[in-house]
Amino acid sequence: NLARGNDKKFPRLRNYLSKSPDGNLAYLISDQIQSLEPLERKEFDDLTNYMALSYYNRDDYEAAIKLFNKELDHPDLYLEAYANTLAKLKRKQEARVLLMEKLPEITNPDQASRLVELICELSNKYQAIANLKVLQNKLPKIKDKILWELAKRTKTKESYQLVYKNYPKSFYAAESMSQVFWKEYERKNYHGAIEIFKVHWKTYPN
């Protein structure tokens, strides 16, 4: 029972919650903290996002949303869960605003890529294009990903070319070039299509 002391008397519980917010006991610890009197509970305010994550990991989005605090901790910790929680609660506009504000602070490229996909999922075509155009200069580590997502929506030859010409070693480069091949083929520019095919075969043989 946490009710008879402050956080300094429970270093192991604090450590468990901060290190394993997805652990089996994390939400039980969070429940105990939430049951404390306000003054006692305040001693754990620095763990707010960890408690939110413990509820999020049990799909208790209503409990999680009450605790997420974007003013605490680095967005790498909470942003993905916070945005997904808003989305689960049908609060897509709030999720998009949150992502546009905090996504440029994400340091992990894989997480940033997932969040770019999420903001696109939460947007219609034109919202997604507008948001991607804003983000493309704010996330240099994954600019190839953003250009690819833009190309998928604008579907222009020029947008696909931007991917493989600027990022020839990108994961998305080969597919972007293949899309240009099909663009030329559909236009019946067979000579252009063959030339693109030759370059594609030479550059991306696998």
Side-chain angles (χ1 to χ4, degrees):
N1 191 332
L2 299 179
R4 293 189 177 182
N6 60 37
D7 62 309
K8 294 179 182 178
K9 293 184 180 180
F10 301 97
R12 290 184 181 179
L13 293 181
R14 289 179 60 86
N15 186 61
Y16 181 88
L17 186 57
S18 61
K19 294 285 177 62
S20 306
D22 57 346
N24 292 331
L25 299 177
Y27 83 100
L28 294 175
I29 295 171
S30 298
D31 279 347
Q32 272 280 264
I33 294 171
Q34 293 304 302
S35 71
L36 296 173
E37 293 298 321
L39 190 59
E40 294 176 306
R41 189 167 66 242
K42 191 172 180 60
E43 299 287 345
F44 295 87
D45 279 356
D46 60 312
L47 294 177
T48 296
N49 281 322
Y50 292 96
M51 288 186 278
L53 288 168
S54 74
Y55 291 121
Y56 170 79
N57 287 314
R58 289 185 63 83
D59 300 332
D60 189 346
Y61 306 116
E62 294 288 353
I65 201 63
K66 296 174 184 177
L67 293 168
F68 278 118
N69 185 344
K70 67 180 183 179
E71 305 305 326
L72 287 175
D73 308 303
H74 193 277
D76 281 5
L77 170 70
Y78 66 81
L79 184 57
E80 191 165 4
Y82 193 177
N84 274 308
T85 296
L86 287 167
K88 292 288 186 180
L89 295 174
K90 311 298 183 185
R91 294 162 62 174
K92 293 183 178 181
Q93 173 63 18
E94 291 175 69
R96 289 197 300 270
V97 170
L98 175 68
L99 287 167
M100 290 300 291
E101 177 187 354
K102 291 296 184 179
L103 219 167
E105 298 177 37
I106 294 295
T107 59
N108 182 304
D110 290 336
Q111 186 181 25
S113 292
R114 292 195 302 272
L115 291 173
V116 165
E117 291 174 0
L118 177 60
I119 200 168
C120 290
E121 288 171 13
L122 298 174
S123 309
N124 64 37
K125 175 183 175 180
Y126 301 103
Q127 289 171 332
I129 290 173
N131 289 333
L132 289 165
K133 286 181 176 179
V134 170
L135 291 171
Q136 65 180 332
N137 293 320
K138 294 185 177 184
L139 293 165
K141 290 182 180 179
I142 60 163
K143 190 168 182 179
D144 60 327
K145 168 69 172 178
I146 294 175
L147 290 175
W148 169 246
E149 293 295 335
L150 272 168
K152 282 165 57 179
R153 287 160 178 82
T154 58
K155 298 186 183 300
T156 66
K157 171 184 171 180
E158 293 73 20
S159 62
Y160 287 117
Q161 286 176 322
L162 280 175
V163 180
Y164 66 82
K165 287 186 175 181
N166 287 288
Y167 300 94
K169 295 183 179 180
S170 168
F171 175 80
Y172 310 101
E175 179 59 24
S176 294
M177 189 178 288
S178 71
Q179 290 298 322
V180 172
F181 164 82
W182 287 112
K183 291 287 181 186
E184 297 293 1
Y185 182 84
E186 289 166 3
R187 291 172 54 208
K188 298 186 178 181
N189 179 11
Y190 301 123
H191 175 73
I194 290 171
E195 291 304 308
I196 288 289
F197 176 80
K198 289 178 180 177
V199 175
H200 189 285
W201 181 261
K202 181 179 179 180
T203 310
Y204 308 108
N206 297 320

